[in-house]
Amino acid sequence: PANRTSELVEVPTVRFRSGQVSIGKADAGALDSVARWLKENPTAVVVIEGHTDDQGTPSENMAVGEKRAISIKQYLIAKGIDSTRMSIVSYGSDHPVCWEKTTECRAKNRRADLVVKRP
């Protein structure tokens, strides 16, 4: 049977306010649990994907998405995770999870997703 302690129960989606690139207090606790799990699973790696809403130019959104991913990577480095175990990618507004042109929908798209991979 699989070792249950190695299962990452939930990989959080980190949310951002419009224009925000830094991690809010609400997401710090969830990222702390990711850091703990990564320490317990030293062969696992994580891809941090930065996303934005559809407002702004594509190049601006790519830059904001990258800054969001970098801020999470820096947070995890500060928690003791080796930078070589993390990679970042920015999708800007190219991969929305919500398509409506509403405030609520755009808020869902301003996010960073963490994709954990085991070797």
Side-chain angles (χ1 to χ4, degrees):
N3 179 355
R4 286 197 165 281
T5 59
S6 70
E7 293 295 321
L8 182 56
V9 178
E10 184 180 339
V11 179
T13 294
V14 179
R15 303 276 179 204
F16 296 89
R17 291 187 308 277
S18 185
Q20 176 193 10
V21 296
S22 59
I23 296 162
K25 285 192 174 88
D27 293 306
L31 289 174
D32 289 348
S33 67
V34 171
R36 277 192 301 276
W37 185 88
L38 287 168
K39 286 176 184 173
E40 293 166 6
N41 295 273
T43 59
V45 295
V46 64
V47 178
I48 305 164
E49 302 176 344
H51 299 273
T52 66
D53 61 26
D54 61 346
Q55 297 180 307
T57 67
S59 62
E60 288 169 342
N61 287 340
M62 290 302 267
V64 169
E66 183 176 17
K67 287 176 184 170
R68 288 174 175 166
I70 288 170
S71 71
I72 292 170
K73 182 177 180 178
Q74 289 173 334
Y75 185 91
L76 292 173
I77 289 170
K79 293 293 174 182
I81 306 304
D82 193 309
S83 65
T84 60
R85 297 177 60 198
M86 296 177 278
S87 58
I88 62 166
V89 62
S90 175
Y91 290 113
S93 59
D94 292 346
H95 292 157
V97 292
C98 189
W99 295 91
E100 298 162 33
K101 306 293 186 197
T102 63
T103 304
E104 295 81 15
C105 189
R106 286 185 171 121
K108 290 178 185 173
N109 291 330
R110 290 190 301 269
R111 71 195 193 282
D113 294 326
L114 283 72
V115 181
V116 175
K117 298 182 178 178
R118 290 216 188 106

